[in-house]
Amino acid sequence: MALMFVNGESFPSKSGQTYEVKNPATGEVVDTVPKGTAEDVQAAVAAADAAFPAWRDTAPETRARLLFKGAELIREKIDELAVLETKEQGKPVAESKREIEHFLHGLEFYAGLASKIRGAYVPLPDHKMYGMVIKQPLGVCAGIVPWNFPITLMGTKVGPALAAGNTMIVKPASTTPLTAIRIIEVLNQAGLSKGVLNIVTGPGSVVGEELLRHPRVRRIAFTGETGTGKHVAECAGREMKRLTLELGGSDPMIVCDDAALDAAVTGAAVGRFYNCGQACLAIKRLYLFEAIYDQFVEKLIGKAQRLKVGNGLDKETRLGPLHTAAQRQEIEEQVADAVKRGGKVLAGGKRPEGAEYAKGFFYLPTLLAEVPDDARIVCEESFGPALPIFKVKDLDEAVARANSSIFGLGSSIWTRDLGKARAAAERLEAGNVWINSLHIGYDEMPFGGVKSSGIGREHGPEALEYYLEPKGVVVATG
Ligand code: NAD
């Protein structure tokens, strides 16, 4: 049985309750974990609170060294961790490994920034006085993480929080706690003082709620669905907690008639089908200029049909199962709704057949055409391997339709005309725009959404600011 890690030690829940984590490809039990309670959260908050003053006062270079050391220890175990992540999450092992590498890159990025945090000297109108802005950590932070990228999205919170001198409690998604627990254990083995980094497992409605309520938790870093995010914002508001929300998306991709077609086709296929379409920044709406529509669609159908669907542990697999039965049911319902409203299935549109698929939540890579703009798959977030494709006459139409969404996370434009690219980058209502590029989050760049896709930014040096409070200090001299 895997255990929670609190105050430097592994623990079961005080309630003694556990639950099973199952492999979405086979239905087999991977392991059991503690079903945490409010009392477990309170113990973790007390430990993180007690650890805070010493960690805050630890020299930034020492904090950095411990994080670098932790990254090194995790790198030694990356193959076994990747297999564990695939078993609990479903994605191909190569994707799990890439995710853990990205986690390590992020951890080292923030470790490197720990000693670069600085404030300001401010001249004041009275020459005998001056001001200082000092930046201080907040205290106990909670990182609430979803199941689609359970390790990188933990890293986008743990890295800046600890580098800036905060302590942290991680709450993984109920269905993906195992690799996260192992990683927190290993980071602690690098020499973190007890209580600096903790993990409590269990349902969002219990463990998550207690983190939102507890007055000693000063900062919530939440990644998840927009609906949950709105609730998190309300609860955090009651206690005036600092907050970032990384929520749902419905990213549009625009391909102009002068684009490098093969690269754009690959961009669309990877963008929609990576992690079985379960990515916030996945391409969820594809807008093609009329002149290239037929050629583009033909190439994309070929690519989608060649993707090998299967158990993520098999080397040939490019598309694992959906993460849960509910996820698959949702994408099936969205596709059925699109077809009912006149949409045409160009590829997939059903489950794969055969004994190897009988126990997992598999679904074929799916392409749809002639889907009306009011179909669910266009208006809602679609979190699975199905992509509606639209024909547009020019950039104005493409941008207008791209912007006609409640979401505003990412977006992309493919064109050789830099003027067009720049116009689109300025006009697209999104936190991120990629020009002739895959939708990828870089540690070096701020990442986040506008509209219903969230508040605040993760990644980039910008993320550190959300873990620091600027304090104004005025000094009178003479
Ligand atoms: P979710 O909202 O169901 O759960 C996210 C986390 O919140 C989980 O740990 C869950 O246990 C917890 N939670 C649930 N109810 C809670 C409550 N009442 N109080 C506190 N915590 C609670 O989301 P999910 O299904 O795990 O993740 C998929 C969603 O995440 C998608 O919408 C996706 O777009 C979004 N996402 C966004 C980004 C981004 O950076 N914008 C990145 C990845 C995923």
Side-chain angles (χ1 to χ4, degrees):
M1 183 174 105
L3 296 171
M4 304 192 282
F5 196 89
V6 175
N7 206 21
E9 281 181 65
S10 297
F11 280 104
S13 166
K14 290 187 198 306
S15 71
Q17 287 187 317
T18 60
Y19 68 91
E20 292 173 339
V21 176
K22 292 190 178 159
N23 184 331
T26 62
E28 285 160 4
V29 175
V30 185
D31 207 341
T32 56
V33 282
K35 192 170 178 183
T37 61
E39 223 188 328
D40 293 318
V41 174
Q42 288 151 17
V45 175
D49 204 22
F52 174 60
W55 183 246
R56 174 194 62 201
D57 296 341
T58 299
E61 285 189 357
T62 307
R63 292 203 293 262
R65 260 200 301 279
L66 291 168
L67 295 178
F68 278 123
K69 172 85 179 142
E72 213 175 286
L73 295 179
I74 291 165
R75 200 166 273 119
E76 285 165 13
K77 297 180 172 48
I78 195 162
D79 289 319
E80 88 189 58
L81 290 167
V83 169
L84 181 60
E85 184 181 346
T86 290
K87 285 184 179 166
E88 64 177 334
Q89 204 283 340
K91 64 182 70 181
V93 172
E95 289 188 22
S96 296
K97 195 165 169 185
R98 224 170 285 140
E99 184 180 345
I100 300 169
E101 279 163 357
H102 192 177
F103 166 86
L104 294 173
H105 185 270
L107 197 63
E108 291 175 337
F109 180 83
Y110 288 107
L113 288 180
S115 59
K116 281 90 187 165
I117 296 166
R118 45 170 65 170
Y121 164 85
V122 186
L124 295 177
D126 180 343
H127 188 62
K128 292 205 183 87
M129 305 186 73
Y130 66 92
M132 293 189 296
V133 180
I134 58 175
K135 293 190 180 174
Q136 296 184 301
L138 309 169
V140 179
C141 302
I144 304 181
V145 183
W147 49 261
N148 61 335
F149 290 94
I151 305 308
T152 45
L153 295 171
M154 174 169 78
T156 53
K157 299 161 180 59
V158 168
L162 266 53
N166 302 279
T167 56
M168 173 154 264
I169 300 162
V170 171
K171 188 254 172 268
S174 307
T175 49
T176 50
L178 300 173
T179 319
I181 291 176
R182 281 295 294 134
I183 286 180
I184 299 285
E185 285 170 357
V186 176
L187 285 176
N188 272 274
Q189 283 161 14
L192 295 178
S193 306
K194 60 182 192 168
V196 168
L197 180 59
N198 314 275
I199 182 164
V200 180
T201 54
S205 55
V206 179
V207 172
E209 287 290 337
E210 183 61 15
L211 287 167
L212 299 181
R213 185 206 65 80
H214 201 301
R216 295 304 296 166
V217 176
R218 296 311 315 142
R219 158 89 165 92
I220 303 285
F222 175 85
T223 304
E225 284 181 14
T226 294
T228 323
K230 287 183 177 171
H231 170 72
V232 168
E234 280 171 17
C235 298
R238 269 182 232 132
E239 291 287 339
M240 290 294 164
K241 294 180 197 296
R242 300 292 174 267
L243 181 70
T244 47
L245 296 170
E246 296 286 348
L247 308 178
S250 181
D251 287 11
M253 169 175 173
I254 299 170
V255 186
C256 302
D257 46 11
D258 63 348
L261 273 207
D262 287 337
V265 170
T266 301
V270 176
R272 176 69 276 196
F273 300 123
Y274 198 79
N275 198 15
C276 201
Q278 302 163 119
C280 56
L281 45 61
I283 289 156
K284 294 168 184 155
R285 294 173 290 141
L286 178 59
Y287 296 99
L288 303 177
F289 276 37
E290 279 163 357
I292 47 117
Y293 183 92
D294 290 338
Q295 203 189 347
F296 194 102
V297 167
E298 194 188 319
K299 285 175 188 260
L300 188 56
I301 291 173
K303 271 217 186 293
Q305 288 175 337
R306 283 193 296 277
L307 287 172
K308 169 81 179 90
V309 178
N311 187 327
L313 294 176
D314 298 338
K315 272 214 171 72
E316 301 74 40
T317 294
R318 292 292 168 272
L319 204 80
L322 273 300
H323 182 56
T324 59
Q327 276 310 128
R328 180 170 64 177
Q329 188 181 337
E330 187 175 273
I331 199 76
E332 285 180 329
E333 286 174 4
Q334 287 175 335
V335 170
D337 170 76
V339 170
K340 199 175 84 193
R341 291 166 190 265
K344 304 273 178 298
V345 176
L346 304 177
K350 57 182 181 175
R351 301 177 183 187
E353 285 159 17
E356 62 181 303
Y357 301 117
K359 293 191 176 144
F361 310 123
F362 297 97
Y363 194 72
L364 287 172
T366 296
L367 298 171
L368 301 164
E370 296 173 44
V371 177
D373 282 344
D374 61 353
R376 285 185 53 198
I377 200 160
V378 186
C379 307
E380 300 172 1
E381 179 174 42
S382 65
F383 225 54
L387 179 64
I389 309 173
F390 309 93
K391 214 180 261 186
V392 289
K393 62 176 187 313
D394 57 21
L395 191 61
D396 284 342
E397 184 190 351
V399 171
R401 290 177 73 181
N403 285 344
S404 66
S405 166
I406 59 163
F407 298 106
L409 190 58
S411 55
S412 59
I413 173 149
W414 294 70
T415 175
R416 288 190 170 97
D417 178 340
L418 276 182
K420 251 189 212 160
R422 180 182 167 177
E426 286 178 359
R427 283 157 53 198
L428 283 165
E429 294 168 359
N432 312 268
V433 180
W434 289 271
I435 298 172
N436 299 324
S437 161
L438 293 176
H439 293 205
I440 293 178
Y442 288 94
D443 293 314
E444 293 77 5
M445 294 284 292
F447 178 84
V450 301
K451 302 200 280 189
S452 288
S453 290
I455 295 173
R457 294 293 179 265
E458 290 195 331
H459 297 284
E462 289 81 358
L464 269 179
E465 300 298 329
Y466 293 91
Y467 289 91
L468 292 162
E469 198 79 84
K471 183 186 277 177
V473 180
V474 172
V475 184
T477 64

